Structure formats: structure tokens, C-alpha cells
Amino acid sequence: MLLPTLRQLQYLKLLSEHGSFSRAAESAYVTQPTLSAGIQELEKILGASVVDRARSGVILTAAGQEAVRRAEDILARTEDLVQAARGAGQPLAGRFRLGVIPTVAPYLLPRALPVLRDRFPKLKLFLREDLTQRLIAALKTGALDAALIALPYDMTGLDWAHVEDDELLAAAPANHPMASQTRVDPDSLRGDDLILLEDGHCLRDHALAACGLEPPKGVGDEESFAATSLPTLVQMIGSGLGVSFLPAMAVHAGLTDKAAVTVRPLATEHPSREIVVAWRSGSSRGVEGRLLAETLREAA
């Protein structure tokens, strides 16, 4: 049986990502006729058309979508093979693509990166900051080697190693009655306007779950306020727009130092999120993922 080549599968994957033969060819560093010929040969081998050519660009057929899904897994495992061979006996040497969520990156990495540089001088770290959902998707397709994320989250198909528990703290305007308390019962904040990060940030769900609260609702069942980042959230709190919850990691890094904000521990059991390094189950980068988590744990 004639089988597709890895190069043909790469062409198909790039075609799926770029939606254009010209852009896919440019990304593959080949001419457009070369890429087109590779796709045509792939279609002959599969016995099915994988793309429809339209004026608006390239549209994958049902067979093409399934082929891309399988090709991504094959290519990711092949890259794992190469990286495992290159890194044999030298963990965390060479290229390592690490995803980090925005509510962790600015607060943990400044402490951790110098440690990683000193301990692993041959490491070439490529960082990608994004939301958890997109980082996990990139892990599963092989676009990332590992990701620094927060749990709880659906980790189907992934393995992970613990870095640290990050306590969630109540935050309110400086003149809020909460300022006179040493610990804050989340129920006491139910009468206040609750501001959270916009939907898609896992910290939003962690805060609500840890405090047993429901998402805030405004007119038409939509939130009155939501923030796009932790610095924006702090400014909104300091301006008197409402109360919220902040990760201790960010507060200790100085997030609230110049804001008119009061921060207090929560009087509830386990008000925290777990920071972990995650990687695709079965990936050869698992050993490095655990080593990375251990190093980050020491730097935390």
C-alpha cells in the first residue's frame, strides 16, 4: 500500500491553517506548484479529494478535515521522536515551546526565567501567552511542547506536574468596609457589584467556584462590567466600580501596589487555583515537563 509522506501531510496541515495555496507554499518554503502537486499526489493516495478550490480560498472537504486531524497527530508524534533523539541525555536543551496563561505569565516568569537560563544554558525557550483553551488546543496539535496553566480545567488527553497553589484573595476599593476585616466571608460580598475577567479566562471560573458565587448579571442577563486583564481589573476596582478576586501571585508581584485597593484573604476552604505544567499524554517531552515544573516550583 502506498502511504502519504510526512511532507505531504505537512502541506495539507499548512493549507488548512492558511486557507490559501500561495500562503501555505510560502510557509513551507516551496513554490506553489510544488505544494499543489504534493496535495494532488496525496489525494491520489487517499483516493479522495481533500480540498475544494473556490474564489474565496481553499475549503477542506469532509475527507480533508479528517485527514488534517490525523495528520496533526502524526506530525506531532514525529516531531516528538526527533526532539527526544536530539535531547537524549540533555533535558531542556534546544527549542522548547511553552504556552503561558495571561494571569500567570507576568507574575511567575520574571522570577523563573533567570533560574531557567542559569540552570539550562542550552535551552532556547519560545513563549506564547494565550488563554487556556487555545493553549490546550495547541498542545494537542503539537504546536506547543508544554503549557503553564491553572487547574481545575478539563485535562482530557494531557498529563501535568504541580508547580504551586495560588491563593485567591478578595479585592475591593480602599474605603470598602472589608478593609476593617482580617478575613472576608465571600457571602458578605453578595450585595456588591462583582467584577470578573471576561469569559474565556479560567481565573474567572476559579474565583466563582472557590467562593460558591454565581456569575454577575446586569440588564438583559449580561454582566455590567468585565475586565480584559488583571491590571485593568485592579483599576476598575480602585475606581469604585465593584469588588473582585485576585490571585496572590499577582498581588505579591506588586499588581495592587499603586492602586486604591484593599486586599484580604478569604474565609473559605481552599480558595486557590493550582498552577501546573501540562503536556500531551504520551509526549516525549513529559520528562522535560516535569523538570520544568520542578524548576518553576523552586523559583515560585
Side-chain angles (χ1 to χ4, degrees), residues 102-103 106-107 171 195-198 201 225-246 250 255-256 259 261:
T103 57
Y107 314 111
I195 311 172
L196 297 170
L197 292 177
E198 63 183 353
H201 286 271
F225 296 105
T228 57
S229 68
L230 284 179
T232 301
L233 179 60
V234 168
Q235 293 305 314
M236 293 172 75
I237 298 168
S239 298
L241 296 179
V243 300
S244 190
F245 304 97
L246 301 174
L255 178 66
T256 60
V261 171

Side-chain angles (χ1 to χ4, degrees), residues 52-128:
D52 287 330
R53 296 155 178 83
R55 288 185 178 180
S56 58
V58 172
I59 302 174
L60 291 179
T61 64
Q65 292 174 352
E66 177 64 14
V68 167
R69 186 183 69 81
R70 293 175 180 268
E72 287 176 337
D73 182 62
I74 292 170
L75 292 170
R77 292 178 182 276
T78 304
E79 186 168 333
D80 275 349
L81 184 154
V82 174
Q83 292 295 338
R86 289 178 176 175
Q90 291 186 333
L92 290 179
R95 185 185 70 168
F96 194 92
R97 301 162 301 175
L98 178 67
V100 192
I101 56 175
T103 57
V104 167
Y107 314 111
L108 177 56
L109 292 184
R111 290 174 285 151
L113 291 179
V115 177
L116 286 170
R117 183 181 60 242
D118 291 342
R119 190 167 300 181
F120 305 104
K122 295 183 178 180
L123 173 65
K124 296 180 180 179
L125 190 63
F126 293 83
L127 295 173
R128 171 180 167 183

Side-chain angles (χ1 to χ4, degrees), residues 183 210 266-272:
R183 300 183 72 83
L266 288 163
T268 184
E269 189 176 1
H270 305 305
S272 64

Side-chain angles (χ1 to χ4, degrees), residues 266-279:
L266 288 163
T268 184
E269 189 176 1
H270 305 305
S272 64
R273 58 180 184 164
E274 182 186 8
I275 309 301
V276 303
V277 173
W279 58 89

Side-chain angles (χ1 to χ4, degrees), residues 118-288:
D118 291 342
R119 190 167 300 181
F120 305 104
K122 295 183 178 180
L123 173 65
K124 296 180 180 179
L125 190 63
F126 293 83
L127 295 173
R128 171 180 167 183
E129 186 175 324
D130 209 337
L131 299 180
T132 306
Q133 182 180 5
R134 291 196 282 266
L135 293 182
I136 287 180
L139 278 180
K140 292 183 176 180
T141 62
L144 289 176
D145 299 309
L148 189 59
I149 60 176
L151 304 183
Y153 202 87
D154 180 8
M155 300 293 280
T156 303
L158 300 175
D159 293 327
W160 64 94
H162 174 81
V163 174
E164 67 171 308
D165 289 322
D166 186 23
E167 183 182 5
L168 298 178
L169 306 171
N175 60 355
H176 192 277
M178 186 182 83
S180 64
Q181 303 174 30
T182 55
R183 300 183 72 83
V184 177
D185 185 341
D187 287 337
S188 69
L189 302 177
R190 290 185 184 275
D192 293 276
D193 290 326
L194 181 61
I195 311 172
L196 297 170
L197 292 177
E198 63 183 353
D199 198 18
H201 286 271
C202 57
L203 179 61
R204 168 193 178 91
D205 298 325
H206 296 158
L208 292 172
C211 302
L213 299 176
E214 295 294 326
K217 297 296 182 183
V219 178
D221 285 342
E222 292 187 359
E223 293 183 31
S224 298
F225 296 105
T228 57
S229 68
L230 284 179
T232 301
L233 179 60
V234 168
Q235 293 305 314
M236 293 172 75
I237 298 168
S239 298
L241 296 179
V243 300
S244 190
F245 304 97
L246 301 174
M249 174 191 297
V251 173
H252 295 159
L255 178 66
T256 60
D257 286 356
K258 297 182 180 180
V261 171
T262 294
V263 178
R264 293 289 184 271
L266 288 163
T268 184
E269 189 176 1
H270 305 305
S272 64
R273 58 180 184 164
E274 182 186 8
I275 309 301
V276 303
V277 173
W279 58 89
R280 190 178 68 259
S281 295
S283 170
S284 64
R285 311 309 292 264
V287 172
E288 291 174 298

